[in-house]
């Protein structure tokens, strides 16, 4: 059951198999993005110069930041400092809500 709902007009972009994103709002100094994952989908290891704060709205994820992995469920959050390698594995269908500062222009 989904406890989190996004507007019906939300535009999704396929990122990888079972993983898609939607920019919810943005300004040059900040951005809010939803990431939807099917069970087993992977957010591949990557880094970027932005600070990222992520909220687990639904599901369970193994989250790895700078080589340390934690299992996080709905209601949890994590922060990624600029340039740290990070990734996620969706253990169940899930939804992450990410905030980036500054805005990720590559998502526009």
């Amino acid at each position: 059951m989904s406890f989190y709902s996004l507007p019906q007009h939300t535009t999704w972009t396929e990122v990888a198999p079972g993983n898609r994103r939607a920019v919810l709002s943005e300004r040059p100094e900040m951005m809010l993005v939803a990431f939807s994952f099917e069970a087993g989908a992977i957010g591949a290891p990557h880094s970027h110069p932005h600070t990222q704060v992520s909220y687990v709205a639904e599901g369970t994820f193994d989250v790895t930041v700078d080589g340390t992995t934690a299992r996080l469920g709905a209601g949890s959050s994590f922060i990624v400092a600029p340039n740290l390698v990070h990734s996620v594995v969706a253990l169940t269908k899930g939804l992450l809500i990410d905030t980036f500062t500054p805005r990720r222009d590559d998502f526009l």
Side-chain angles (χ1 to χ4, degrees), residues 7-82:
Q8 288 185 337
H9 66 274
T10 301
T11 302
W12 292 93
T13 300
E14 185 86 12
V15 176
N19 179 356
R20 60 190 184 141
R21 74 169 173 251
V23 174
L24 303 178
S25 56
E26 54 85 14
R27 290 183 45 90
E29 63 273 10
M30 186 175 285
M31 174 181 259
L32 187 66
V33 181
F35 283 89
S36 174
F37 291 84
E38 295 299 322
I42 296 171
H46 66 286
S47 65
H48 44 73
H50 313 81
T51 296
Q52 173 181 332
V53 177
S54 298
Y55 174 73
V56 182
E58 296 177 354
T60 304
F61 293 85
D62 277 348
V63 177
T64 302
V65 178
D66 197 28
T68 300
T69 302
R71 183 157 293 168
L72 300 178
S76 300
S77 62
F78 61 96
I79 191 164
V80 181

Side-chain angles (χ1 to χ4, degrees), residues 70-92:
R71 183 157 293 168
L72 300 178
S76 300
S77 62
F78 61 96
I79 191 164
V80 181
N83 303 309
L84 290 183
V85 175
H86 56 286
S87 61
V88 299
V89 176
L91 302 176
T92 64

